[in-house]
């Protein structure tokens, strides 16, 4: 792992090419429905979310457990709370059904010839203003997401579909002092040379360098949604689009009829939607505030869906018919800042012995005990539930041997702390860890005490999403507690995060040339050989301790028995309300 000023500048350049602000996830997303943070914003007037104020007999669902979205633009939406809403107000070329099957969405059909996918757009696909959805909307949307001037959080995901021309776009050098006209002259040819185009209004063509298993599933992912160019430009382009109620245009099953920032979002049916007859609900009310009484209000039927039952209530509710336990394909971990090497904190964080000591000092079994059995100790960086080398195999089971790198060994941790102190010639400083409020804070307090006992003092800083984004943009943090929720069911949804140019590496300065080489090698092989490489890649990133996994996340939901056909997804955006209806209320 090499580092110098040139390396730091490269990291900064890569970082700005993929984000404007910061998460995890993204994608996915670093914030789960129960722990995601809220941003502040302008309030718009609207109705309250109390069920007593609604007309009798209407089909409505009242939901709690999410938070204010950071962005609803396909270019920037990367948190779980963003993608939850985007999945219900937009449609991609493909869509994910309740049973996880991937079927045509805005595209009525597709075919694959060689390395070229051809999608036919539905004749009746419309935007909420009545304009037709065309192949040009997909071309514009994809180019907007990939344009480095927009710093799209998920622009890197186009590499995962093996898009023709993606590598060449990444090679375009953007001078700091270039004018807008000069930047356009540099960027536009590379964007126009990418392997997708609108052949005509109803035909969208995508050329790839390789046929990857996740391609069609990703065609249902928010970053690949279309954008209406005329509307986008009319509301101020990237700065304005999707920032407020009057700056959104929809092509999915719902529109946002009310958005009171940090309070609630109300979804109503999109009357122009191509599959309008499938939408049965008259309204979905998403409460965005942290509700400490959510379970009691569920009992009072003020809420129809609680996305995440608090750990203190799990024993009380878990055996009830309304409760369901879900094991998410999500891992939480510590993101270690390896960029700031000159500070005393940076010297310790760049010491591998010290990072390993931090991992060895965490008793993950004790940490998960406070979660009511919902979360389990991490036994790798890839969670349970991702496909293995055969369709019925699980990656985590196949490569269970990697779990030895996450063992609990406090005595060895103390030895490594002492070794790091001797090498650096200073006592361990107080190291700050950015984390969330709510349920996650309880886990972090346990870890804080465990690390104190092995000689690693940490201070917990409760942060909202905006603060975290700004800190990661400027590398002004020591450690951030974050994580990832799988965007699709294949190990690369995690493994691609840790290449030198990966989503998380550009946020903390991690680089391992052997890891990068194995990633390239994996593209040339298939089956068991490819998955053996994946297992080796995971072992490398675990043994570098730049990302220290703690738990595999899970959750209980409470869903009223009269709520039917709610889509709850194991990867990608978490919920679909398109087919949901009320029966027997």
């Amino acid at each position: 792992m090499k580092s110098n000023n040139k390396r730091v500048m490269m990291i900064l350049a890569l970082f700005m090419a993929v984000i404007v602000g910061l998460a995890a996830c993204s994608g996915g997303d670093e914030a789960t429905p129960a722990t995601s943070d809220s941003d502040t914003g302008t309030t718009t007037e609207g109705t309250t979310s109390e069920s007593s104020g609604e007309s009798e007999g209407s089909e409505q669902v009242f939901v709690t457990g999410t938070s204010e979205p950071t962005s609803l633009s396909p270019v920037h939406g990367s948190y779980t709370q963003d993608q939850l809403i985007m999945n219900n107000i937009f449609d991609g070329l493909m869509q994910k059904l309740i049973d996880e099957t991937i079927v045509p969405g805005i595209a009525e059909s597709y075919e694959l010839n060689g390395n070229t996918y051809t999608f036919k757009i539905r004749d009746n696909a419309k935007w909420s203003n009545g304009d037709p959805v065309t192949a040009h909307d997909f071309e514009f949307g994809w180019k907007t997401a990939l344009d480095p001037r927009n710093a799209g959080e998920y622009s890197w995901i186009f590499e995962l579909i093996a898009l023709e021309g993606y590598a060449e776009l990444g090679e375009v050098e953007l001078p700091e002092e270039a004018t807008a006209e000069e930047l356009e002259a540099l960027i536009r040819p590379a964007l126009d040379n990418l392997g997708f185009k609108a052949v005509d209004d109803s035909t969208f063509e995508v050329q790839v360098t390789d046929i990857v298993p996740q391609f069609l599933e990703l065609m249902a992912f928010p970053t690949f949604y279309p954008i209406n160019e005329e509307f986008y430009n009319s509301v101020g382009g990237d700065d304005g689009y999707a920032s407020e109620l009057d700056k959104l245009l929809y092509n999915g099953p719902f529109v946002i009829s009310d958005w009171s920032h940090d309070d609630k979002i109300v979804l109503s049916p999109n009357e122009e939607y191509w599959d309008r007859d499938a939408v049965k609900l008259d309204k979905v009310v998403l409460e965005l505030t942290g509700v400490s009484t959510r379970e009691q209000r569920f009992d009072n039927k003020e809420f129809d869906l609680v996305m995440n039952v608090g750990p203190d209530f799990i024993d009380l509710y878990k055996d009830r018919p309304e409760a369901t336990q879900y094991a998410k394909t999500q891992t939480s971990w510590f993101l270690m800042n390896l960029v700031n090497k000159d500070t005393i904190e940076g010297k310790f964080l760049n010491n591998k012995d010290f990072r390993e000591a931090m991992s060895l000092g965490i008793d993950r079994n004790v940490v998960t005990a406070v979660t009511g059995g919902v979360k389990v100790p991490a036994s790798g960086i890839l969670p349970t539930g991702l496909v293995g080398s055969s369709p019925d195999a699980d990656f985590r089971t196949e490569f269970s041997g990697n779990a030895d790198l996450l063992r609990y060994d406090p005595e060895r941790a103390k030895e490594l702390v002492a070794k790091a102190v001797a090498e650096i010639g200073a006592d361990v400083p107080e190291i700050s860890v950015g984390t969330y409020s709510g349920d996650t804070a309880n886990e972090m307090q346990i870890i804080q005490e465990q690390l104190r006992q092995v000689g690693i003092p940490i201070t917990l800083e409760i942060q909202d999403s905006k603060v975290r984004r700004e800190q990661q943009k400027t590398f002004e943090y020591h450690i951030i507690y974050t994580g990832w929720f799988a965007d699709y069911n294949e190990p690369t949804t995690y493994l691609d995060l840790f290449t030198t140019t990966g989503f998380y590496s550009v946020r903390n300065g991690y680089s391992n040339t052997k890891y990068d080489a194995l990633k390239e090698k994996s593209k040339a092989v298939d089956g068991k050989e490819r998955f053996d490489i994946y297992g080796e890649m995971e072992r490398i990133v675990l043994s570098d301790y730049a990302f220290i996994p703690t738990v595999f996340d899970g959750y209980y939901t409470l869903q009223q028995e009269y709520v039917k056909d709610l889509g709850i997804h194991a990867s990608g955006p978490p919920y679909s309300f398109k087919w949901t209806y009320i029966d027997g209320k």
Side-chain angles (χ1 to χ4, degrees):
M1 195 160 36
K2 296 181 180 179
S3 181
N4 51 34
N5 290 336
K6 183 177 180 181
R7 161 75 177 149
V8 171
M9 293 306 296
M10 181 185 76
I11 293 167
L12 287 166
L14 288 168
F15 185 89
M16 292 307 296
V18 272
I19 72 171
V20 86
L22 175 96
C25 111
S26 88
D29 172 334
E30 70 180 335
T32 65
T35 59
S36 49
D37 290 305
S38 299
D39 297 341
T40 57
T42 306
T43 299
T44 57
E45 295 299 321
T47 60
T48 68
S49 61
E50 297 298 326
S51 56
S52 58
E54 304 297 342
S55 58
E56 191 173 340
S58 59
E59 297 237 351
Q60 303 170 46
V61 170
F62 294 84
V63 182
T64 185
T66 188
S67 62
E68 175 75 13
T70 66
S71 175
L72 295 180
S73 166
V75 179
H76 297 294
S78 62
Y79 281 79
T80 301
Q81 64 265 35
D82 307 341
Q83 295 177 3
L84 159 66
I85 297 169
M86 292 163 64
N87 183 53
N88 288 284
I89 62 176
F90 297 118
D91 248 11
L93 293 165
M94 307 295 286
Q95 62 179 326
K96 184 180 288 189
L97 300 181
I98 296 172
D99 66 359
E100 306 290 313
T101 304
I102 305 298
V103 299
I106 292 297
E108 65 179 358
S109 65
Y110 70 91
E111 61 181 29
L112 174 61
N113 291 310
N115 280 12
T116 301
Y117 288 90
T118 301
F119 295 90
K120 288 294 183 181
I121 308 300
R122 296 179 186 275
D123 292 338
N124 61 339
K126 293 182 179 180
W127 292 98
S128 52
N129 65 357
D131 288 349
V133 179
T134 71
H136 299 284
D137 297 324
F138 284 95
E139 179 177 330
F140 179 74
W142 289 23
K143 285 182 177 179
T144 303
L146 281 161
D147 192 326
R149 290 168 293 189
N150 295 330
E153 276 84 345
Y154 257 84
S155 60
W156 58 272
I157 205 168
F158 284 86
E159 181 180 10
L160 304 190
I161 65 169
L163 179 66
E164 184 76 48
Y166 176 84
E168 289 74 12
L169 176 64
E171 293 170 359
V172 175
E173 295 186 7
L174 305 179
E176 291 184 11
E177 304 300 323
T179 64
E181 291 78 13
E182 290 169 339
L183 288 175
E184 174 69 12
L186 287 169
I187 295 168
R188 186 56 52 188
L191 289 174
D192 290 341
N193 196 46
L194 290 165
F196 57 83
K197 64 180 179 180
V199 178
D200 52 44
D201 284 351
S202 61
T203 309
F204 187 61
E205 190 176 272
V206 184
Q207 293 181 338
V208 295
T209 59
D210 187 21
I211 306 301
V212 293
Q214 66 268 20
F215 180 90
L216 290 176
E217 184 175 356
L218 284 174
M219 292 302 98
F221 193 77
T223 311
F224 297 93
Y225 290 159
I227 296 176
N228 182 299
E229 182 175 7
E230 181 179 356
F231 181 83
Y232 175 88
N233 291 330
S234 74
V235 296
D238 190 60
D239 291 337
Y241 182 67
S243 59
E244 295 291 344
L245 199 61
D246 60 350
K247 295 182 179 180
L248 274 160
L249 192 64
Y250 317 87
N251 77 319
F254 294 94
V255 301
I256 298 177
S257 53
D258 181 32
W259 186 357
S260 300
H261 290 284
D262 295 309
D263 179 20
K264 71 174 180 296
I265 284 178
V266 179
L267 306 180
S268 300
N270 178 3
E271 298 301 334
E272 298 291 343
Y273 184 51
W274 68 269
D275 199 16
R276 174 64 180 88
D277 289 345
V279 182
K280 300 298 189 293
L281 293 176
D282 299 314
K283 188 177 290 186
V284 179
V285 181
L286 296 154
E287 183 165 296
L288 307 179
T289 55
V291 181
S292 60
T293 59
R294 59 197 176 202
E295 292 82 9
Q296 294 94 322
R297 291 177 67 184
F298 177 86
D299 286 341
N300 295 335
K301 291 187 166 52
E302 294 177 47
F303 290 133
D304 302 303
L305 172 66
V306 176
M307 291 184 179
N308 201 325
V309 179
D312 294 340
F313 292 89
I314 288 174
D315 285 341
L316 207 61
Y317 284 86
K318 66 182 181 181
D319 295 326
R320 287 175 43 168
E322 304 101 317
T324 305
Q325 182 176 5
Y326 294 92
K328 297 180 70 175
T329 49
Q330 176 169 315
T331 307
S332 292
W333 58 65
F334 289 106
L335 178 72
M336 320 290 275
N337 184 346
L338 307 181
V339 173
N340 300 332
K341 300 179 182 299
D342 295 331
T343 65
I344 187 61
E345 297 87 359
K347 289 177 180 178
F348 275 92
L349 292 175
N350 275 279
N351 184 289
K352 185 177 175 181
D353 290 328
F354 181 79
R355 299 197 304 269
E356 183 178 357
M358 187 170 176
S359 180
L360 292 171
I362 300 171
D363 187 342
R364 293 162 176 81
N365 288 300
V366 173
V367 174
T368 56
V370 301
T371 70
V374 172
K375 300 180 181 182
V376 298
S379 53
I381 206 157
L382 277 69
T384 303
L386 292 174
V387 68
S389 60
S390 62
D392 58 348
D394 184 276
F395 178 90
R396 188 70 278 132
T397 302
E398 278 194 85
F399 297 96
S400 58
N402 288 345
D404 70 296
L405 293 168
L406 298 178
R407 68 190 182 279
Y408 175 54
D409 189 343
E411 295 309 313
R412 177 59 177 159
K414 292 176 184 177
E415 292 173 4
L416 290 174
V417 169
K419 183 180 177 184
V421 167
E423 289 176 358
I424 295 169
D427 292 335
V428 180
E430 194 84 17
I431 293 175
S432 124
V433 178
T435 186
Y436 292 111
S437 59
D439 304 337
T440 301
N442 298 332
E443 301 163 35
M444 291 303 302
Q445 288 168 4
I446 293 172
I447 293 175
Q448 181 182 36
E449 176 58 22
Q450 290 178 345
L451 292 179
R452 185 192 66 78
Q453 292 179 10
V454 299
I456 302 176
I458 65 171
T459 301
L460 303 181
E461 292 188 6
I462 308 300
Q463 303 168 326
D464 65 20
S465 299
K466 283 187 175 180
V467 171
R468 295 162 75 85
R469 284 185 176 228
E470 286 304 312
Q471 285 187 343
Q472 293 186 53
K473 180 173 67 173
T474 57
F475 301 104
E476 294 178 357
Y477 69 93
H478 299 154
I479 300 173
I480 286 181
Y481 192 54
T482 180
W484 192 258
F485 178 41
D487 294 327
Y488 54 92
N489 187 12
E490 212 270 345
T492 53
T493 189
Y494 275 84
L495 295 174
D496 281 0
L497 303 173
F498 311 118
T499 62
T500 298
T501 58
F503 186 90
Y504 268 115
S505 295
V506 300
R507 288 161 170 75
N508 80 334
Y510 175 70
S511 179
N512 186 303
T513 54
K514 184 178 179 182
Y515 187 93
D516 292 347
L518 285 171
K519 179 63 180 70
E520 289 304 310
K521 182 180 178 181
S522 71
K523 298 177 182 179
V525 295
D526 293 309
K528 186 67 166 61
E529 186 176 0
R530 174 181 284 188
F531 276 79
D532 285 344
I533 293 174
Y534 288 165
E536 187 178 355
M537 290 172 65
E538 183 190 44
R539 193 162 186 85
I540 288 172
V541 76
L542 285 172
S543 61
D544 281 337
Y545 298 102
F547 314 90
I548 300 177
T550 56
V551 301
F552 293 155
D553 292 273
Y555 60 104
Y556 273 94
T557 64
L558 291 176
Q559 180 180 327
Q560 302 286 6
E561 293 184 278
Y562 51 74
V563 177
K564 310 294 184 182
D565 285 357
L566 173 66
I568 302 180
H569 304 298
S571 60
Y575 290 91
S576 294
F577 299 108
K578 173 177 175 177
W579 301 277
T580 306
Y581 65 98
I582 304 297
D583 183 29
K585 184 173 182 179

